[in-house]
Structure formats: structure tokens, C-alpha cells
Amino acid sequence: MSSPSFPAPGALRPFKSLAYAAPAAGPRLIVTGAVHGNEVCGTRALERLAAELDAGTLRLVRGALTLVPVCNPLAWQRGRREGERNLNRALAPTDTPRQYEDHVANWLCPLLAAHDGLLDLHSFQAQGRPFAMVGPRDNDGPLEPFAQAAREEALARRLGVDRLVDGWLATYARGVERRRAAAVAEGRQDPAALDLHPRYGVGTTEYMRSRGGWALTLECGQHDDPAAPEVAYRAVRRTLAHLGLVDEPDPAPAAPAEALSLSEVVDKRHADDRFVREWTSFDRLRAGEPIGVREDGETVHAPDDGWIVFPNARAAARSEWFYFARATTRFA
């Protein structure tokens, strides 16, 4: 096997987590930032929180708290989304690490599994307001069996954002099936390709749920939005209060202004596929409205009334171009 392309271990900062434990027993919470290296808001928020804990101006009264300001040191060092691949896809420990993110997973996954719950702090490329991503409803299905939906929903209503979104893993699994079918049709199927694996959509939160925990993703705003670190910090403080880790009142739950469910992910087929205009996450779409044009001239239309989510004009061929979401009554 060829040598890794990432810098030698001595050239990178080591993996780092900050662990705090109160004398009294309680929930075990882990909060992560910089799963993607160009998403700095979580890191800044967790650095601020750690400074307060170290100074004693914020005190843990029960339970345990682990902060991971930078999950992916190589991506962080390079100031880009990934080191060698997307850490938030196909996340799992492996005995045969091939890329830098495999080594991260071998450190991060056991750390996640040692906790009861996860708050994962992210930001996004296009403009838009913050939102939280929630896991599935309670179910015993084969894809993502789960029994802590009520716990996630209760916290999601207290994070300080007014838009909640679910449907990630099921939507992504359907997208992978389409990607696999296209690969077979084009004669380019590679059984070892991660992006063709049925569980390629598994990231930090999905892995956490697979180990019996609960997890939320908070998208704190656009990458460069100066308000995003404050959104992240406020959400962590609210989480600590809700779980009783600090001696502060439980924030009042709020019904979301918008509750959406992802239903489709659409890949770019060719690097020259393009949007018909500059889209922002959660722009409204009407059934049949043109969204983009393929390199071969085919127009991609909205399948129904709904919203566009995570539009990425710079996506590479055979990767996620945008998501489509519909309204849901789940959080009403």
C-alpha cells in the first residue's frame, strides 16, 4: 500500500479533547467542533466555554462534559472541509486505515461511544439562518433503529434556533442507491468505493445513535457569519442547562417556525452541471420549478412544493449537489 499523502504525524497537532467531570453523577455529554476544517464557529465557541470552565466562572455541578474543539486537525490546518476525505461520511473505526480521516475515526468513535449524548457544531456554505438536524422517530427498522426521539426533540426545541430538520440518513441511503445504480450503468462500479456504500451517510450523530446514544447537529450559520460562534456558544450553554450539568434554569421549549424533512438528495453528474440561479439553503421551491441544468442540457426541476437545502454550486461530479425537503408536522 502506498504511503499516506497527509503530513507526517509530527507535523500535525495531536488529537485533543478536554474532559470535565463533576463530583455528582449525571449525563455524559460530548460537544464537537471542526469535523470539517473550514467550519470554525464550533471551535471558537468551545474555546470560549473551556476558558470559562478553567477560570471557574462556569461550573459543572453534575455529570461529565467532553469538548473537542477540533475533530479534524488536518482539515483544520489546511483550512478546508476535509483532509483527505469527508470525516462526516462512513464514520466508523477500522483495522485498516487508509486515509487520514480513518485515523481520526479510530480515535473519535470510541470517544463518542463513551458518552450519553452529542451536540455537533457545524456551519454551511450558502447564506441562511441557523437550524438543527434531528434524528429519526423511534423505530426498530434496519437502517437506523432508535428509541430516544423524545430526548432529541426536547433539546432541539431549546437550542435557540427556530428551524428543525430530520430525514438525513434515510434520504442519504436512497441517494446512495441511485449513485450505485448509475455506477453500474456506466460500468464504473468500485466495490471498495466509500461513496457507494449503503451506510456512507453515517457521520458523527448517526454513529452516536448506533452506539445507543442521542445526538443533534447544529448548523450555526454561514461559515463566515460573525454571529455563528455566538449561536454555537449559546446552544451549548442551553444544552448544559437543559441536561442539568450546570446550575441554571432549563430554557423554555419553543415550537419551531419551520419543521422540515429531507426527502431527496441530488448528485452532480458532471462538473459542469449548474444551478439556474444562486440558491440559498431553505429557499422555497414550487413543484416543477427549474433548479439546475445538467451538462447535457437536461433541466432538473423541483419534484414538489418544498425547500432546497445545502445547495453546493462547487460540488464535484458524483457528489451531493443539493437536497430537497418537504414540510413535516413532527415538531408541531
Side-chain angles (χ1 to χ4, degrees), residues 138-201:
D138 289 344
N139 73 95
D140 57 3
L143 181 64
E144 193 176 16
F146 193 50
Q148 300 198 60
R151 187 181 298 274
E152 288 191 1
E153 291 171 15
L155 176 57
R157 292 175 181 274
R158 290 168 166 85
L159 291 178
V161 297
D162 65 356
R163 178 183 280 139
L164 304 183
V165 182
D166 73 359
W168 167 263
L169 192 55
T171 297
Y172 209 96
R174 291 191 295 271
V176 169
E177 283 302 309
R178 289 193 293 271
R179 190 178 295 167
R180 287 166 61 89
V184 171
E186 296 169 14
R188 56 175 176 82
Q189 187 175 23
D190 176 3
L194 282 176
D195 66 343
L196 300 180
H197 192 280
R199 295 190 65 78
Y200 183 62

Side-chain angles (χ1 to χ4, degrees), residues 91-114:
L91 181 68
T94 176
D95 292 332
T96 55
R98 297 181 179 181
Q99 295 172 302
Y100 176 77
E101 278 76 5
D102 295 331
H103 295 279
V104 179
N106 282 344
W107 164 72
L108 181 60
C109 288
L111 189 61
L112 293 173

Side-chain angles (χ1 to χ4, degrees), residues 217-301:
T217 296
L218 181 65
E219 296 282 354
C220 301
Q222 197 273 338
H223 295 326
D224 299 322
D225 186 344
E230 179 63 30
V231 171
Y233 172 80
R234 179 184 63 200
V236 179
R237 290 295 300 262
R238 285 170 170 260
T239 299
L240 295 176
H242 174 62
L243 296 177
L245 272 67
V246 297
D247 188 16
E248 295 177 358
D250 186 5
E258 287 184 346
L260 310 178
S261 188
L262 297 177
S263 59
E264 292 189 35
V265 56
V266 178
D267 284 353
K268 265 193 176 182
R269 294 178 188 163
H270 190 281
D272 291 335
D273 292 352
R274 59 179 176 82
F275 288 128
V276 297
R277 69 175 180 87
E278 184 176 341
W279 294 104
T280 295
S281 262
F282 302 102
D283 279 344
R284 290 295 300 264
L285 295 168
R286 298 300 178 192
E289 182 176 354
I291 297 174
V293 179
R294 300 285 190 189
E295 179 269 344
D296 62 6
E298 176 192 353
T299 300
V300 179
H301 298 90

Side-chain angles (χ1 to χ4, degrees), residues 27-32 64-66 111-120 148 151-152 155 208 212-216 239 243:
R28 297 165 298 170
L29 173 69
I30 182 168
V31 188
T32 50
L65 172 66
T66 299
L111 189 61
L112 293 173
H115 293 78
D116 301 315
L118 162 68
L119 179 61
D120 193 18
Q148 300 198 60
R151 187 181 298 274
E152 288 191 1
L155 176 57
M208 187 70 178
W214 57 265
L216 293 175
T239 299
L243 296 177

Side-chain angles (χ1 to χ4, degrees), residues 297-317:
E298 176 192 353
T299 300
V300 179
H301 298 90
D304 203 345
D305 290 348
W307 291 259
I308 190 170
V309 183
F310 295 140
N312 185 1
R314 294 180 288 185

